[in-house]
Amino acid sequence: MISEECGDSPKQVQRYISLTRLIPEFLQKLDDELISFNPAVEISALKKEEQKQLLEAMDYAQAVPSLSQAQRIKKLSKENQLTLERCRKL
């Protein structure tokens, strides 16, 4: 029903909902357009502690992840292999 009212596909609505799992610092980066929508959706799949580690790595590198990097980070998280050091190397 929401997708019909908004004119977005059901999948797009799900992607918007997934953003609610972002920690406030990532939501702010998204609002400030410092990180793109698609990488933010991928990052929203990370545990809160992993998101904090990623923020630390981003601050260290003074960079934001591309979509492909965010997808690799998400994959590492699902495999329980995501570490701060791996985030810094991506």
Side-chain angles (χ1 to χ4, degrees):
M1 291 179 0
I2 293 173
S3 67
E4 289 175 10
E5 286 180 24
C6 297
D8 287 325
S9 70
K11 182 161 179 87
Q12 185 67 7
V13 171
Q14 289 174 336
R15 292 164 53 85
Y16 286 126
I17 292 169
S18 73
L19 295 176
T20 64
R21 294 189 302 264
L22 288 172
I23 61 175
E25 296 88 345
F26 268 116
L27 283 173
Q28 189 62 53
K29 287 189 180 297
L30 182 62
D31 287 345
D32 294 342
E33 298 180 357
L34 298 174
I35 188 166
S36 299
F37 178 80
N38 290 325
V41 169
E42 298 296 323
I43 291 167
S44 73
L46 303 180
K47 299 171 192 140
K48 294 201 181 298
E49 188 57 39
E50 291 172 330
Q51 289 184 39
K52 290 176 185 175
Q53 288 179 344
L54 180 55
L55 274 173
E56 186 178 327
M58 289 168 54
D59 287 342
Y60 175 81
Q62 295 294 298
V64 295
S66 66
L67 176 57
S68 64
Q69 289 169 323
Q71 289 168 334
R72 284 183 280 175
I73 290 167
K74 179 181 170 182
K75 183 175 185 265
L76 286 171
S77 173
K78 285 187 176 192
E79 295 169 351
N80 291 318
Q81 296 182 7
L82 185 62
T83 64
L84 180 57
E85 286 303 313
R86 284 206 163 163
C87 286
R88 287 182 177 170
K89 291 179 182 178
L90 296 173

